[in-house]
Amino acid sequence: MTHDQIPTAVAREGWTLRLHPGELVFARLEPGSDLPEWARDARPLSSIAWNESETSVLAPVDVVPGDVDRFGPWRAFEVEEHVDFLLTGVLHGIISPLAASHLAVTTVSTYRTDWILVPAEQVDQAVNVWRYHGYQVTVPQVATEMGTA
């Protein structure tokens, strides 16, 4: 099957995004490093990427050892629905309103869905922007009590 024969659908607007409690950081390890024990079973998300110059691990801030080079903290929003790999424009639709509002964003995709990461200090702004643009955003009660919209 060639690229032009792949059936695609345009992603719909208004995905439901769920904010997960806790903060995440990107940790930089040496090239070729194995998945560290501290990144296993991490909640809500742990992700690892290898390339020739580094091994990067996304994990909750509280499990990453203090001597590991890190960047963050980030907060994770999960796209609640299953996101088909062949849908076009999903991430574009979700992150464009944030970019237009000058909010930083990065993403991680899993087999089932997409995760949108926003700097921890910009969470309230991101929630407000998405809601303004018609997205449903679920925020855990504990986050609301801590001052997150």
Side-chain angles (χ1 to χ4, degrees):
M1 182 177 303
T2 63
H3 185 272
D4 60 332
Q5 295 172 319
I6 296 173
T8 60
V10 177
R12 64 176 174 74
E13 293 184 10
W15 295 91
T16 300
L17 304 167
R18 178 167 48 116
L19 175 63
H20 284 269
E23 296 180 338
L24 303 169
V25 292
F26 284 97
R28 185 187 182 285
L29 306 176
E30 291 301 313
S33 295
D34 289 330
L35 176 63
E37 200 59 43
W38 48 262
R40 299 174 192 274
D41 300 322
R43 305 273 189 270
L45 175 68
S46 182
S47 181
I48 188 163
W50 289 275
N51 65 39
E52 65 185 35
S53 62
E54 67 180 328
T55 298
S56 294
V57 179
L58 174 68
V61 67
D62 58 345
V63 303
V64 179
D67 61 342
V68 173
D69 187 19
R70 64 177 76 200
F71 184 78
W74 299 84
R75 295 291 305 275
F77 291 86
E78 178 183 7
V79 178
E80 292 245 317
E81 297 86 356
H82 171 76
V83 179
D84 188 303
F85 282 112
L86 298 179
L87 287 178
T88 58
V90 175
L91 288 175
H92 178 269
I94 293 172
I95 64 176
S96 288
L98 300 183
S101 297
H102 305 287
L103 298 176
V105 63
T106 192
T107 64
V108 173
S109 295
T110 62
Y111 190 88
R112 189 188 77 71
T113 195
D114 291 314
W115 294 74
I116 314 305
L117 306 175
V118 174
E121 68 274 4
Q122 295 181 344
V123 167
D124 291 338
Q125 295 157 291
V127 168
N128 291 334
V129 166
W130 277 322
R131 286 180 175 162
Y132 177 81
H133 287 276
Y135 290 88
Q136 297 285 48
V137 183
T138 5
V139 178
Q141 184 62 34
V142 70
T144 303
E145 292 168 2
M146 294 177 1
T148 301

